[in-house]
Amino acid sequence: MDVARIVGQERPIGYWIRHLHGLTEGALDRSLAEYGLSRRHWQVLNVVSRRPSTPGDIDAELSPFLDRDRPTLAPLAEELRERGWLHGDPALSLTEEGVRVHEELTGKVTETRARITEGITPEEYTATIDVLGRMAANLGG
């Protein structure tokens, strides 16, 4: 089936996924820049905020963001530990300062996500996530 022809789009879904991914990364990186953090730092902090996690747990949860250039997020977890926001060994938890910073960053990330989804209804967003999940499943992911 030639989906592009059916929906009248010249650019296939892969283009839009890649393009949106880059825009999302950039927007979130900019919103966290004043803290000297990247989106990956945020993701590590956010995983640990939900439950104590080892570096292996963090990598497993964030595996879609790992690749040959970044096979693990352990160095970022260590940076957050050096800032005094994480502690523990092997399972990492937020420190009191980490909880405070995570709350601040949650506000920044929420603002950015709101900008990304502006003009999109909750139903459209849910349908999009559903379709993308099914497409991933079709490819074995």
Side-chain angles (χ1 to χ4, degrees), residues 73-90:
L73 295 169
L76 298 183
E78 189 55 35
E79 287 176 30
L80 296 171
R81 181 198 302 266
E82 289 169 6
R83 290 179 182 225
W85 298 347
L86 299 180
H87 65 106
D89 187 21

Side-chain angles (χ1 to χ4, degrees), residues 31-91:
S31 73
L32 300 170
E34 70 183 88
Y35 295 86
L37 300 174
S38 68
R39 180 181 185 197
R40 296 298 164 262
H41 286 102
W42 158 253
Q43 289 171 316
V44 169
L45 201 61
N46 201 41
V47 166
V48 174
S49 76
R50 292 191 299 268
R51 68 187 161 284
S53 303
T54 66
D57 297 333
I58 294 166
D59 286 348
E61 186 156 340
L62 299 174
S63 63
F65 300 97
L66 302 177
D67 57 29
R68 264 186 287 162
D69 295 332
R70 180 172 283 168
T72 179
L73 295 169
L76 298 183
E78 189 55 35
E79 287 176 30
L80 296 171
R81 181 198 302 266
E82 289 169 6
R83 290 179 182 225
W85 298 347
L86 299 180
H87 65 106
D89 187 21

Side-chain angles (χ1 to χ4, degrees), residues 55-134:
D57 297 333
I58 294 166
D59 286 348
E61 186 156 340
L62 299 174
S63 63
F65 300 97
L66 302 177
D67 57 29
R68 264 186 287 162
D69 295 332
R70 180 172 283 168
T72 179
L73 295 169
L76 298 183
E78 189 55 35
E79 287 176 30
L80 296 171
R81 181 198 302 266
E82 289 169 6
R83 290 179 182 225
W85 298 347
L86 299 180
H87 65 106
D89 187 21
L92 300 167
S93 300
L94 295 180
T95 63
E96 283 186 38
E97 180 67 4
V99 169
R100 186 192 67 71
V101 168
H102 180 260
E103 288 174 5
E104 273 182 46
L105 295 176
T106 297
K108 295 278 189 188
V109 169
T110 299
E111 288 172 16
T112 302
R113 287 177 177 161
R115 212 170 76 241
I116 292 168
T117 58
E118 190 172 312
I120 299 168
T121 68
E123 295 79 16
E124 289 172 320
Y125 185 83
T126 300
T128 300
I129 298 302
D130 178 62
V131 168
L132 291 173
R134 285 185 283 146

